[in-house]
C-alpha cells in the first residue's frame, strides 16, 4: 500500500514500485519519449478542447440545451488514463464526460449529434450531454448522479473477475463523489473482493461550488482511499505524461491481479461547473493561475523545447482538429431527429432482444 | 395455499421458502447466474431461503456482501451489464431505499438513456410487508413505489407455484426485475402443482372464481382475500379473487374482464392508501370499465401510520379478512 502526497512534476509515481513493474516503466519511458505518441496525446486533448469550445458557442446559440458540464482544463486526465486502457476494458464516467467519451474513441460526430438530440447521437438523442454511451467501446456513461457510477463499475469489474481474463474497469469520478457513501461502499467492496477496478478521482478542487476544504474534513484523498487496503496515489492531473505513466502502472498492476487501485488526478476546470453556473465561488486569480498550467500548452511547450513540435505541425494539427469538429457539427445539423413516434422505445427491451 | 394431489402419487409438501430455494438452485445451473446479498452464504439467508446453496455452489456464486445496499445492488447492475445474470437479495424493502439510486437511476434508466444499447438483466429479490411485529422500519409495503417506475418489472409471488417458477422467467427477461416476497409467506406450506413447469410474467390469475364482486389483490394479502371469500360465501356472496402477480406492468385485461362480469370491485393492498397501487387500480377501473360498475370501487389498505410493533396495533393497521369482508359487503349492498 502506498500513498504519496501531491506532486506537480511528471515524476509523480506510485511510491512503492516493485521489481515486477520494471516492464511497465520501460513501456512508459518508450511511450513518453516517442514524439508521435506525444503528438497523438496532444491531438486527443485538442479534440476535446475544441469540441467543448464549439459546444459553448452552440449552447449560446441554443442549438444544444440541457446541462452541459465542460471538461476544459482537465483533458490530460481523460487522455492520459485512456492510454493505459485496452479495447476490452470498460469505462464508467460522470456527467462531465465529453472528454472521457472522446478519449475512449467515441466519434466526435456521435457525441455532437447526441448534444443535438439527434438519432445519430451515441445515445440516439435519449441521453444528451450527461448520458453518453457506447456499448461497442464498453463506454458505460454518462452518470449524472454524483458517485452513482461507482457501484456499477464495481459490478462490471466483478463480472470480469468471475468470467476470468484480465479486463480492467476504469471509473472516473470527482472529489464531490469522494464525499458520497457510494464511493466508500464501493471502495470497501472492491478491495474486499480484489476487483480489477481503476478508481480515477478527478480532483478539480470543487464539488459544484463547494471547495475541497469545505467539503472534506481530510483533504488527502489518496491517503483516505489507501485506508481501504488498496494502492493509492496522487498525480499531477495537468500533465498528461504523468497521468499516463501512473495509469499504466496501475492498470498493469490490476491486470496482474492486485485488486483495485486508486489514482487521484489533481486538476482544475477552467470553466464553471455547468453552463448555468455564474462561478461566484472562486477567485479569478485562482483560475488564471491554473490556466498557466494548461495541459495542452504544457505538453506543446515541452515538445517544442525538446524539438518534437514545429509551428507548422501545430498549425496543421489545429486545422485538422477544427475540421473534425466542424464535420461533427455539420453532420449533427443534417441528421434526422429521433422521431417522436419512438418516444416509448427503450423503456423495456424490444422483442427479440434476449440477453 | 391450495393443496392439490396428483392422480397417482402425492408429491411431497413444500414451503414457500423451499420453493424459492429450489428456483435458485435450478437457476444456478446457468454459470452466469450468481446470488449476492447480506448473509446469503454462511448464514443461509436471513430468511433461510439460500440455506445450503453455499455448500453446493461455493462462495463465488453464493456471495456474502458487506452491509452496503447501494454498492452491492449497483454491483449487481454492473455485473448484469458485464454479461452475468445476478440475483441480488436485499433483506427488506425498507433497506432497498439505500439502493434506490441504483435501482431507479441506473437499472431502470440505462436502456433508455443509452438509446437501447444497454440492457440490464438483473433480478433483485426482497421481502416486503408486515405482520410479524417487527416495527416500522422492517414492515412497510413499498412495492407500489417501485411499480411506479418505468423500465423495471415488479413481481409479487403469492403462491408456492409462483415462488417456484417466477425466478426463471425473471432471469429470462432482458430488463431489471424486482421480486417482492411477503415475509409472512416463507413458512406457508403446500404442494407444488406438478403440471406447472413455467409461468408467464404478464398475466394476473383468478385464484377463486366468483360472480358478485372482484377482489383484486397480490402477495401477502391473497390468503386474507381467500379467507374473506370463504366467509362471504357463507352469506351467499360469491367473490372472485384476483392475484395480480405482476405489479408492473399491470395486467389490465384480466382485471377489467373480471370487473366487467361482477360489476363490483374491492382492491386489497397492504400499502398505504394514499398514492398506492390500490389507487392506481381503482383509477384504471374507473377509466376503462366505469359503465360496468354497479357500485364505487372499494379499497382495503393499511392505516396511514408507520406500522406499529404491538400486536393488536399492527393487526389493526393491516388489511384483515374481516375488513375485506366489510368492504365487499359495502360494495354489494
Amino acid at each position: 500500500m502506498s500513498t504519496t502526497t501531491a506532486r506537480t512534476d511528471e515524476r509523480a509515481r506510485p511510491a512503492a514500485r516493485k521489481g515486477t513493474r520494471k516492464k511497465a516503466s520501460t513501456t512508459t519511458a518508450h511511450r513518453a519519449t516517442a514524439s508521435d505518441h506525444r503528438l497523438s496525446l496532444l491531438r486527443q486533448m485538442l479534440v476535446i478542447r475544441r469540441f467543448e469550445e464549439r459546444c459553448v458557442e452552440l449552447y449560446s446559440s441554443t442549438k444544444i440545451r440541457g446541462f452541459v458540464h465542460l471538461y476544459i482544463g482537465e483533458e490530460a486526465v481523460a487522455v492520459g488514463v485512456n492510454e493505459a486502457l485496452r479495447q476490452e476494458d470498460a469505462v464508467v464516467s460522470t456527467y462531465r464526460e465529453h472528454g472521457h467519451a472522446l478519449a475512449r474513441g467515441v466519434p466526435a460526430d456521435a457525441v455532437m449529434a447526441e448534444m443535438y438530440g439527434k438519432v445519430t447521437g451515441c445515445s440516439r438523442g435519449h441521453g444528451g450531454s450527461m448520458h453518453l454511451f457506447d456499448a461497442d467501446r464498453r463506454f458505460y456513461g454518462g452518470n449524472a448522479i454524483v458517485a452513482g457510477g461507482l457501484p456499477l463499475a464495481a459490478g462490471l469489474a466483478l463480472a470480469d473477475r468471475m468470467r476470468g481474463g484480465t479486463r480492467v474497469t476504469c471509473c472516473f469520478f470527482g472529489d464531490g463523489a469522494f464525499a458520497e457513501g457510494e464511493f466508500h461502499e464501493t471502495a470497501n467492496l472492491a478491495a474486499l473482493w480484489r476487483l480489477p477496478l481503476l478508481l480515477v478521482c478527478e480532483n478539480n478542487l470543487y464539488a459544484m461550488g463547494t471547495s475541497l476544504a469545505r467539503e472534506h474534513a481530510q483533504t488527502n484523498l489518496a491517503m483516505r482511499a489507501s485506508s481501504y487496503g488498496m494502492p493509492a496515489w496522487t498525480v499531477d492531473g495537468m500533465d498528461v505524461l504523468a497521468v499516463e505513466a501512473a495509469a499504466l502502472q496501475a492498470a498493469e498492476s490490476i491486470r496482474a491481479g492486485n485488486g483495485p487501485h486508486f489514482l487521484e488526478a489533481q486538476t482544475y476546470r477552467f470553466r464553471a461547473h455547468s453552463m448555468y453556473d455564474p462561478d461566484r465561488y472562486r477567485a479569478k486569480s485562482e483560475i488564471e493561475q491554473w490556466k498557466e498550467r494548461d495541459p495542452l500548452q504544457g505538453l506543446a511547450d515541452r515538445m517544442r523545447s525538446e524539438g518534437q513540435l514545429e509551428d507548422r505541425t501545430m498549425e496543421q494539427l489545429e486545422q485538422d482538429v477544427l475540421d473534425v469538429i466542424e464535420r461533427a457539427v455539420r453532420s449533427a445539423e443534417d441528421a434526422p431527429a429521433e422521431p417522436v413516434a419512438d418516444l416509448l422505445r427503450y423503456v423495456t427491451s424490444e422483442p427479440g432482444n434476449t440477453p | 395455499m391450495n393443496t392439490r394431489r396428483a392422480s397417482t402419487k402425492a408429491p411431497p409438501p413444500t414451503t414457500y421458502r423451499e420453493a424459492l430455494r429450489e428456483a435458485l438452485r435450478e437457476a444456478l445451473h446457468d454459470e452466469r447466474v450468481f446470488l449476492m446479498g447480506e448473509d446469503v452464504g454462511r448464514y443461509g439467508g436471513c430468511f433461510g431461503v439460500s440455506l445450503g446453496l453455499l455448500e453446493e455452489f461455493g462462495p463465488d456464486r453464493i456471495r456474502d456482501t458487506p452491509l452496503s445496499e447501494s454498492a452491492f445492488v449497483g454491483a449487481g447492475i454492473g455485473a448484469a451489464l458485464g454479461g452475468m445474470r445476478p440475483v441480488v437479495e436485499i433483506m427488506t424493502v425498507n433497506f432497498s431505499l439505500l439502493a434506490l439510486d441504483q435501482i431507479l437511476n441506473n437499472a431502470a434508466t440505462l436502456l433508455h438513456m443509452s438509446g437501447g444499447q444497454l440492457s440490464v438483466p438483473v433480478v433483485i429479490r426482497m421481502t416486503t410487508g408486515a405482520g410479524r411485529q417487527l416495527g416500522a422500519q422492517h414492515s412497510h409495503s413499498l412495492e407500489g413505489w417501485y411499480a411506479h417506475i418505468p423500465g423495471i418489472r415488479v413481481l409479487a409471488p403469492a403462491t408456492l407455484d409462483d415462488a417456484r417458477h417466477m425466478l426463471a422467467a425473471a432471469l429470462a427477461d432482458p430488463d431489471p426485475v424486482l421480486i417482492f416476497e411477503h415475509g409472512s409467506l416463507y413458512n406457508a406450506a403446500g404442494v407444488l402443482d406438478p403440471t406447472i413447469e413455467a409461468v408467464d410474467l404478464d398475466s394476473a390469475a383468478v385464484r377463486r372464481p366468483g360472480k358478485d364482486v372482484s377482489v383484486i389483490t397480490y402477495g401477502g394479502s391473497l390468503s386474507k382475500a381467500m379467507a374473506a371469500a370463504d366467509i362471504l360465501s357463507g352469506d351467499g356472496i360469491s367473490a372472485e379473487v384476483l392475484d395480480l402477480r405482476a405489479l408492473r406492468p399491470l395486467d389490465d385485461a384480466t382485471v377489467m374482464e373480471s370487473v366487467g362480469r361482477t360489476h363490483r370491485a374491492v382492491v386489497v393492498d397492504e400499502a398505504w392508501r394514499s398514492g398506492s397501487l390500490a389507487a392506481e387500480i381503482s383509477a384504471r377501473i374507473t377509466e376503462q370499465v366505469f359503465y360496468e360498475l354497479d357500485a364505487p370501487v372499494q379499497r382495503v389498505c393499511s392505516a396511514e401510520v408507520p406500522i406499529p410493533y404491538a400486536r393488536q396495533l399492527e393487526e389493526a393497521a393491516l388489511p384483515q379478512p374481516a375488513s375485506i369482508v366489510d368492504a365487499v359487503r359495502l360494495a354489494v349492498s
Side-chain angles (χ1 to χ4, degrees), chain B residues 20 92 135 146 184 230 255 333:
Chain B
L20 290 168
T92 87
Y146 288 99
S184 66
D230 279 347
V255 172
S333 64

Side-chain angles (χ1 to χ4, degrees), chain A residues 314-332:
Chain A
M314 190 64 204
E315 283 162 23
Q316 188 61 49
L317 194 62
E318 284 277 10
Q319 192 54 55
D320 287 351
V321 168
L322 280 179
D323 289 347
V324 168
I325 305 305
E326 285 318 302
R327 271 202 306 277
V329 172
R330 258 202 322 279
S331 69

